[in-house]
């Protein structure tokens, strides 16, 4: 007998698709854990068409599928009669109510120091800034949907982190999060008009709509993208790639800020190469959004395509030729040398002054005297991100 066949609960789900399966699971977890803490000893593996999830304080869980993504049956081996009843009731409730969500309003407050965001309202999302005691705090208010407080913790973590990533990609900055509040009240948000930054801005000064008052704003497509993120967990290919790129951009910025604040500690070979590599890597998901479909090798049948060529085409589309060439020749070359050969741009550690020496590897070049992070590259990458995002929004609107 296979282990799941000994389960005391065998519950038919018959999900229609992957989204249906995941909504069922989220509602089930909400019902199971809403009255107390619950955790998983996560040990997932698959045998044939049965997936083992792991152990929780209620027992062990498996689910069976006939088609990928569609849960056909849940198997649960409980530890007691009381827990059996609890699990069974939660499964029944999930099957009957896994499309009935509650609406919540989340407000995230960021410390934006001396930067004021103008009042912006679109797609149910509201952004405004308030100055207090010489410092500026900016609130972002938006709706989410969840099955209850337990599920809300999951939803909140996903949406707020994507908000942080997108804000970074649209401002070139990271703002510390001061507080997060959530309630079941619905807040009316009426779309308004505001002065947007120029479409082709690259430096922060170009983002100001009022330089004297340090007032900035966001492009309206930010609200279109974030609203799409709010409304679903099953992201289409284009949005998934945009989110992947924004996450890498956010991580790059955190690392760059770390160097700016603690340069003596972090400005070292290897670490700076990792930052530069990640910035080039952020271009790869963007290049795949409109990249040509890969070809297959005639001999072995494996996929054959050049991601480097896609990045080159992407850079040429949005940047001046000399900058694009520097990115895909020098930047991509350095990335490949570091990832595939373990070679940083330099092995020299900065001692407080430069000591230019001949490179013994070839005898005809100078060793770069200090590790460095390419701050300009970060601005080019976020610029391309915003341009590609704008194209995705236009395509989505045309399809609608």
């Amino acid at each position: 007998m296979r282990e799941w066949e000994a389960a005391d609960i065998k519950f038919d789900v018959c999900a229609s698709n992957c989204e249906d399966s995941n909504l069922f699971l989220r509602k089930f977890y909400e019902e199971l854990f809403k009255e107390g803490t619950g955790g998983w000893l996560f040990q997932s593996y698959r045998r044939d068409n049965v997936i083992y999830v792991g152990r929780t304080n209620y027992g062990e869980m498996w689910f069976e599928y006939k088609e990928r993504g569609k849960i056909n049956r849940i198997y649960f081996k409980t530890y007691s009669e009381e827990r059996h009843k609890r699990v069974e009731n939660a499964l029944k409730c999930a099957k009957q109510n896994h499309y009935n969500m509650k609406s919540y309003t989340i407000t995230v407050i960021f410390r934006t120091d001396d930067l004021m965001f103008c009042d912006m309202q679109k797609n149910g999302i509201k952004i405004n800034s308030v100055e207090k005691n010489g410092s500026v705090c900016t609130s972002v208010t938006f709706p989410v949907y969840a099955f209850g407080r337990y599920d809300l913790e999951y939803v909140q973590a996903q949406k707020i982190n994507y908000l942080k990533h997108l804000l970074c990609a649209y401002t070139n900055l990271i703002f510390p999060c001061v507080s997060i509040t959530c309630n079941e009240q619905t807040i009316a948000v009426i779309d308004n008009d505001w002065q947007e930054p120029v479409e082709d801005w690259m430096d922060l000064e170009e983002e100001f709509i009022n330089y004297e008052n340090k007032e900035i704003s966001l492009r309206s497509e930010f609200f279109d993208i974030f609203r799409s993120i709010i409304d679903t967990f099953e992201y289409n290919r284009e949005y998934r790639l945009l989110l992947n790129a924004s996450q890498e951009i956010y991580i790059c910025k955190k690392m760059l800020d770390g160097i700016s604040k603690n340069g003596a500690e972090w400005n070292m070979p290897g670490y700076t190469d990792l930052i530069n590599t990640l910035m080039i890597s952020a271009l790869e998901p963007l290049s795949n959004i409109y990249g040509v479909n890969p070809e297959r090798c005639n001999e072995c049948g494996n996929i054959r395509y050049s991601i480097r060529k896609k990045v080159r085409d992407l850079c040429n589309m949005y940047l001046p030729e000399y900058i694009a060439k520097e990115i895909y020749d020098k930047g991509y070359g350095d990335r490949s040398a570091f990832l595939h050969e373990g070679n940083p741009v330099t092995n020299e550690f900065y001692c407080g002054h430069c000591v230019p020496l001949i490179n013994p590897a070839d005898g005809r070049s100078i060793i770069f005297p200090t590790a460095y992070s390419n701050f300009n590259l970060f601005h080019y990458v976020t610029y391309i991100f915003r341009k590609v995002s704008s194209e995705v929004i236009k395509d989505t609107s045309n399809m609608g």
Side-chain angles (χ1 to χ4, degrees):
M1 178 182 290
R2 294 170 293 186
E3 56 268 31
W4 60 87
E5 293 175 346
D8 51 299
I9 295 178
K10 300 177 178 68
F11 187 85
D12 290 334
V13 178
C14 304
S16 58
N17 52 46
C18 188
E19 181 181 17
D20 192 36
S21 294
N22 284 330
L23 288 173
F24 169 84
L25 289 173
R26 284 172 51 195
K27 178 61 176 176
F28 170 56
Y29 300 148
E30 171 65 33
E31 292 300 314
L32 195 59
F33 299 124
K34 67 181 179 180
E35 294 180 5
T37 58
W40 287 95
L41 179 57
F42 185 67
Q43 298 174 313
S44 180
Y45 64 83
R46 180 176 60 84
R47 184 175 298 171
D48 298 326
N49 63 333
V50 176
I51 296 175
Y52 178 60
V53 180
R55 299 172 183 265
T56 181
N57 45 328
Y58 288 93
E60 294 182 82
M61 178 177 167
W62 299 257
F63 55 78
E64 172 192 77
Y65 64 92
K66 290 184 178 179
E67 296 181 49
R68 291 186 181 186
K70 302 179 182 180
I71 296 178
N72 183 57
R73 176 176 290 180
I74 294 283
Y75 297 90
F76 214 108
K77 184 178 181 181
T78 59
Y79 295 147
S80 68
E81 184 177 348
E82 180 184 354
R83 292 174 182 179
H84 176 103
K85 292 180 180 178
R86 180 69 181 273
V87 171
E88 194 170 51
N89 289 336
L91 287 168
K92 290 177 180 178
C93 182
K95 187 168 184 177
Q96 295 172 359
N97 301 291
H98 65 284
Y99 279 95
N100 298 332
M101 294 190 190
K102 297 178 181 179
S103 176
Y104 298 89
T105 297
I106 291 179
T107 298
V108 187
I109 297 180
F110 297 95
R111 190 182 72 244
T112 53
D113 296 328
D114 60 344
L115 294 179
M116 293 282 295
F117 282 85
C118 70
D119 182 47
M120 296 172 283
Q121 300 184 57
K122 185 181 180 183
N123 296 341
I125 304 162
K126 180 178 180 179
I127 299 179
N128 68 297
S129 295
V130 176
E131 185 176 1
K132 186 177 181 180
N133 299 326
S135 182
V136 177
C137 284
T138 298
S139 64
V140 182
T141 301
F142 57 94
V144 296
Y145 309 94
F147 292 110
R149 287 288 170 175
Y150 182 86
D151 185 53
L152 179 62
E153 291 180 3
Y154 168 73
V155 174
Q156 182 174 288
Q158 312 313 308
K159 306 309 182 185
I160 291 177
N161 277 292
Y162 285 138
L163 169 63
K164 292 178 180 178
H165 301 166
L166 290 171
L167 271 177
C168 178
Y170 270 87
T171 64
N172 287 2
L173 297 167
I174 289 180
F175 304 110
C177 180
V178 176
S179 67
I180 300 169
T181 58
C182 184
N183 58 62
E184 296 185 33
Q185 296 178 346
T186 300
I187 298 177
V189 176
I190 301 174
D191 289 7
N192 69 334
D193 296 321
W194 67 88
Q195 182 182 344
E196 299 183 30
V198 294
E199 184 177 1
D200 291 330
W201 78 269
M202 190 171 295
D203 296 322
L204 182 60
E205 287 77 10
E206 298 175 284
E207 193 179 3
F208 287 110
I209 58 174
N210 187 322
Y211 187 82
E212 183 178 349
N213 294 330
K214 300 291 184 183
E215 186 178 17
I216 64 175
S217 67
L218 298 170
R219 299 285 303 173
S220 62
E221 57 259 27
F222 170 90
F223 294 81
D224 298 325
I225 292 175
F226 189 49
R227 183 69 215 205
S228 296
I229 303 309
I230 291 171
D231 288 340
T232 184
F233 281 85
E234 300 287 328
Y235 308 113
N236 64 28
R237 178 177 178 272
E238 290 77 12
Y239 276 88
R240 181 70 271 169
L241 292 170
L242 282 177
L243 290 176
N244 291 349
S246 70
Q247 180 169 292
E248 293 186 76
I249 286 169
Y250 180 82
I251 295 170
C252 286
K253 181 58 177 173
K254 285 188 76 74
M255 297 173 78
L256 287 170
D257 287 351
I259 283 185
S260 297
K261 296 173 184 176
N262 304 287
E265 181 178 0
W266 293 110
N267 195 36
M268 66 179 77
Y271 190 79
T272 54
D273 295 276
L274 186 61
I275 298 174
N276 295 334
T277 292
L278 197 56
M279 283 191 276
I280 294 293
S281 294
L283 294 173
E284 293 186 344
L286 298 176
S287 73
N288 276 318
I289 290 179
Y290 295 112
V292 295
N293 293 327
E295 299 177 352
R296 290 191 176 272
C297 176
N298 293 329
E299 297 181 2
C300 65
N302 289 332
I303 290 177
R304 179 178 62 187
Y305 65 91
S306 172
I307 189 68
R308 184 169 182 167
K309 181 180 183 299
K310 289 184 180 181
V311 171
R312 182 191 68 190
D313 293 343
L314 178 72
C315 293
N316 283 330
M317 187 180 302
Y318 295 113
L319 297 174
E321 182 180 358
Y322 72 97
I323 296 177
K325 183 175 176 58
E326 178 73 11
I327 291 175
Y328 61 73
D329 279 355
K330 180 69 167 62
Y332 216 98
D334 290 344
R335 172 193 180 277
S336 297
F338 180 64
L339 284 182
H340 304 308
E341 303 172 34
N343 291 329
V345 170
T346 184
N347 292 108
E348 300 290 283
F349 294 87
Y350 187 60
C351 65
H353 54 270
C354 292
V355 184
L357 301 174
I358 293 176
N359 189 345
D362 60 18
R364 58 177 187 164
S365 63
I366 298 297
I367 300 175
F368 206 83
T370 181
Y372 73 97
S373 295
N374 194 337
F375 283 82
N376 287 335
L377 177 58
F378 178 79
H379 293 279
Y380 297 139
V381 170
T382 57
Y383 172 79
I384 292 175
F385 175 91
R386 293 188 294 273
K387 299 295 284 187
V388 173
S389 296
S390 180
E391 293 299 321
V392 169
I393 292 298
K394 290 176 183 176
D395 289 347
T396 302
S397 300
N398 291 336
M399 289 175 61

